Amino acid sequence: MRRRAQGQPDEAAPAPQGSPNAERGFAAGTDLDRAGPPLETSPPLARAKNVALRYLAAGARTEAQVRARLARAELAGEADEVVAWLLRLGYLDDAAYARAHARALVAPGRLGPRLAERRLLVAGVDRGRAREAIAAALAEAGAGAGETALCRALAEKRAGAAGLAGLDDRARSKLARFLLGRGFSGSAVARVLGLYDDG
């Protein structure tokens, strides 16, 4: 049996009256009596921070996505404080999220600007920031003719070995519907598929 060192308080002994730990039911001599950083006073807040950090560990998120995740964990009441904490740490940045995701969404062979913008809006990026990020990504992709260049890349990929010139009217209409569904404008689709003459 392990003996207690002389002068050490019995672990079962109550904290002295007047000690802040007495009210919490902690024994005297515990680490809580020492000076140091304040204790976490809100277990739900600590849990909310852990949920948010685990969520962010899987990838970049928007403020809206973090709030939604906390709400699913029944921690919506802690969301304001957790989001402010994450912003101070630099773990949340909606503008950076929008820029990175816009580049990925409008990469050649992926989406048109309209569908890419909708995806950013669903993620919680505000409309102005989403449009700005998409415009910057399109400019990077094709020096002014970004949307048309991206639309052409996807159209050629979809047309396969036959190429765009080898498509009959039915196949061309089907491809036009596909490209419109992927978020390209009607003018970009018409230009790529030769549905009207730009001249």
Side-chain angles (χ1 to χ4, degrees), residues 14-172:
Q17 293 295 13
S19 164
N21 294 324
E23 297 169 356
R24 298 186 193 132
F26 294 108
T30 62
D31 289 341
L32 301 175
D33 280 331
R34 296 185 190 148
L39 295 173
E40 181 60 69
T41 57
S42 171
L45 179 59
R47 185 169 160 248
K49 287 179 176 181
N50 285 333
V51 167
L53 289 174
R54 281 196 307 272
Y55 188 51
L56 289 169
R61 310 289 183 180
T62 63
E63 180 181 327
Q65 288 173 323
V66 169
R67 288 179 181 280
R69 177 64 186 92
L70 292 173
R72 286 195 305 275
E74 299 180 359
L75 294 163
E78 285 70 31
D80 287 343
E81 194 166 346
V82 171
V83 164
W85 176 67
L86 292 170
L87 288 168
R88 281 194 308 274
L89 293 174
Y91 291 171
L92 277 181
D93 185 343
D94 282 7
Y97 177 97
R99 286 190 302 271
H101 281 72
R103 282 192 297 271
L105 290 168
V106 300
R110 298 267 344 262
L111 305 179
R114 285 156 185 75
L115 186 53
E117 182 182 323
R118 280 198 298 269
R119 296 267 175 96
L120 290 177
L121 293 175
V122 167
V125 176
D126 69 72
R127 188 174 301 278
R129 186 171 281 158
R131 286 189 174 160
E132 184 180 300
I134 296 294
L138 288 173
E140 286 176 24
E147 182 180 6
T148 302
L150 293 174
C151 186
R152 180 170 285 109
L154 183 55
E156 288 172 350
K157 179 180 175 183
R158 193 77 176 180
L164 295 177
L167 296 176
D168 61 24
D169 288 345
R170 185 168 179 265
R172 197 172 293 273

